[in-house]
């Protein structure tokens, strides 16, 4: 009887250990995946800002810098508003 109980407890401990190690591996993969997504978002934002700055520099050739800045701000607002509308449609 005691051997059967001991065998049962050992099997339960082995099962818990196996599940925990699998869960630990999945948790690490999830954390790495979230970190990579955050890095990708930051890189996309940097790319967007550099693109807007490039448009500003190009517009400075054709108009005074203050007008180029206003035109650039208007472009950024239009793009941002469009993205918000797109997100709103996706969520509803």
């Amino acid at each position: 009887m005691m051997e059967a109980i001991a065998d049962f407890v050992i099997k339960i401990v082995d099962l818990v250990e196996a599940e925990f190690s699998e869960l630990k591996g999945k948790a690490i993969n999830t954390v790495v995946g979230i970190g990579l997504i955050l890095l990708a978002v930051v890189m996309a934002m940097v790319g967007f800002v550099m693109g807007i700055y490039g448009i500003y520099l190009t517009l400075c050739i054709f108009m005074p810098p203050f007008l180029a800045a206003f035109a650039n701000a208007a472009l950024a607002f239009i793009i941002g508003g469009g993205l918000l509308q797109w997100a709103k449609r996706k969520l509803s």
Side-chain angles (χ1 to χ4, degrees):
M1 178 71 171
M2 292 301 276
E3 285 182 18
I5 293 174
D7 190 39
F8 177 73
V9 170
I10 290 172
K11 287 182 181 180
I12 293 292
V13 170
D14 286 341
L15 178 64
V16 169
E17 181 183 1
E19 289 297 324
F20 180 73
S21 66
E22 182 180 335
L23 180 64
K24 187 172 125 182
K26 287 181 182 178
I28 289 172
N29 287 341
T30 302
V31 169
V32 169
I34 290 172
L36 290 173
I37 288 171
L38 290 175
L39 183 62
V41 167
V42 168
M43 294 303 292
M45 289 173 60
V46 168
F48 178 73
V49 169
M50 294 304 288
I52 293 292
Y53 183 64
I55 293 170
Y56 168 75
L57 291 177
T58 303
L59 290 175
C60 281
I61 295 171
F62 303 110
M63 59 183 71
F66 72 93
L67 287 178
F70 281 126
N72 223 10
L75 178 65
F77 279 126
I78 290 169
I79 291 172
L83 289 173
L84 283 175
Q85 289 296 323
W86 184 31
K88 185 178 175 183
R89 268 190 251 126
K90 288 289 184 182
L91 292 175
S92 61

